[in-house]
Amino acid sequence: MTASPEIHGILAYPVTPFTDDNQVDTGKLAALVERLVADGAHGIVPLGSTGESAYLTEAEFDAVIDTTIGVVGRRVPVIIGASDLTTGNTIRRAQYAERAGGDAVMVLPISYWKLSEREIVQHYAAIGAAIGIPIMVYNNPATSGIDMRPELLVQMFEDIDNVTMVKESTGDITRMERMSELTDGRLPFYNGSNPMVLKAFKAGAKGWCTAAPNLLPQPCLDLYAAAQAGDWTKAEAIYTELKPFLEFIVAGGLPTTIKGGLELLGKGVGVPRLPLLPLDGNGRDELRRLLEVS
């Protein structure tokens, strides 16, 4: 397996910008990724739920990879979301990510039929055998309909060479604690539930996978720095200020709320792709209040 740089800290999810005629706007994507890196993100994670990966063609998917990696230029790690309905196309996406220079891939098990644990293990084993970069296993039953037990995640970490880390998004802190317990802290895990970030850092999460830095980068960085320093009083204060914003963007759908926020900040990147819709008037008013913009 190819060695990769340490993956830690604030791992920022860029949205995928679209033009007025519904094409991927690589120019605006490049500008957005550059801002995220310049603002201090410790890693960039395109093509997850926030990036509307489920609604992209394969050519668009590849264009987002190429643009993101080209802009980042090895300044921070790039973890590519490579999830798809089939194992075959997940492998295609993961192999493209590796050839393009991605440092790791993030894979969510997606399936029309609910997968058994035997099928989940085979899915990840097949992907691992096809690439030489690390895999971040992404557990998010709210979007995939598949919930992977901590014991299963640990089993894959132990048995599949490329499975080296887990993104846990259930919002259940005991999942992280259990994975740490079962591996004596050897399994790196990352928080994917925005409202749970403070508990996750206290439990030992190596990073926070989040769309929040698109709109409020500095508080996210400050929260991570306080957690790293063990200053939980400061971390709690920052989290308390951020919490209403974090809850809002999750409840309203990340592509919709982040794109709405960028528009309010004068950095518009187009609207979400159907069937997703832009924020309604009430949502815009609430987000404007949370961002403190006129």
Side-chain angles (χ1 to χ4, degrees):
M1 184 176 65
T2 303
S4 63
E6 183 188 1
I7 295 172
H8 69 95
I10 301 302
L11 306 179
Y13 288 142
V15 293
T16 299
F18 296 115
T19 62
D20 290 341
D21 60 353
N22 203 33
Q23 303 300 307
V24 171
D25 192 328
T26 55
K28 287 187 177 178
L29 174 62
L32 176 60
V33 171
E34 178 59 38
R35 281 201 304 274
L36 289 169
V37 176
D39 284 340
H42 302 100
I44 303 295
V45 191
L47 297 167
S49 304
T50 304
E52 298 177 72
S53 59
Y55 308 125
L56 302 180
T57 68
E58 293 308 294
E60 291 172 333
F61 195 93
D62 295 350
V64 170
I65 291 175
D66 292 336
T67 300
T68 303
I69 291 175
V71 169
V72 172
R74 298 289 180 188
R75 288 176 289 173
V76 297
V78 176
I79 304 97
I80 304 293
S83 311
D84 192 59
L85 193 65
T86 67
T87 300
N89 203 49
T90 304
I91 288 173
R92 189 213 73 80
R93 291 178 168 190
Q95 289 177 329
Y96 192 93
E98 181 176 24
R99 290 196 302 271
D103 295 290
V105 293
M106 180 181 69
V107 177
L108 176 77
I110 305 171
S111 183
Y112 179 86
W113 296 104
K114 186 175 181 179
L115 299 179
S116 68
E117 291 194 348
R118 183 169 65 94
E119 290 166 331
I120 291 169
V121 170
Q122 180 56 40
H123 181 64
Y124 282 99
I127 298 162
I131 60 174
I133 56 177
I135 298 170
M136 175 186 283
V137 178
Y138 179 12
N139 189 41
N140 190 358
T143 56
S144 71
I146 296 171
D147 189 4
M148 293 179 283
R149 299 178 301 116
E151 291 79 6
L152 176 62
L153 295 167
V154 168
Q155 175 193 335
M156 292 194 292
F157 171 66
E158 299 286 7
D159 294 347
I160 302 172
D161 288 344
N162 298 56
V163 170
T164 63
M165 50 192 156
V166 170
K167 176 188 169 188
E168 173 55 53
S169 299
T170 60
D172 179 357
I173 195 64
T174 65
R175 306 291 190 97
M176 294 182 178
E177 293 167 345
R178 181 63 173 156
M179 287 188 290
S180 183
E181 174 190 346
L182 289 170
T183 63
D184 294 323
R186 291 182 296 110
L187 172 55
F189 56 86
Y190 300 79
N191 178 59
S193 173
N194 282 303
M196 194 178 72
V197 59
L198 184 64
K199 289 182 179 179
F201 280 140
K202 287 182 177 179
K206 285 182 64 66
W208 176 18
C209 303
T210 177
N214 288 278
L215 304 180
L216 294 175
Q218 196 58 53
C220 298
L221 294 166
D222 292 344
L223 176 54
Y224 175 66
Q228 286 294 100
D231 188 345
W232 298 112
T233 300
K234 182 176 181 180
E236 179 79 43
I238 297 168
Y239 172 74
T240 299
E241 289 288 325
L242 265 179
K243 186 180 178 183
F245 165 76
L246 297 176
E247 292 176 338
F248 177 87
I249 62 174
V250 171
L254 292 171
T256 294
T257 55
I258 297 301
K259 286 186 172 183
L262 287 169
E263 182 70 28
L264 290 172
L265 294 174
K267 302 172 183 177
V269 293
V271 298
R273 180 168 278 180
L274 292 170
L276 302 181
L277 292 174
L279 275 176
D280 61 17
N282 290 336
R284 284 175 59 87
D285 289 344
E286 177 63 10
L287 187 53
R288 180 181 289 111
R289 183 188 68 80
L290 291 168
L291 294 174
E292 299 180 347
V293 295
S294 59

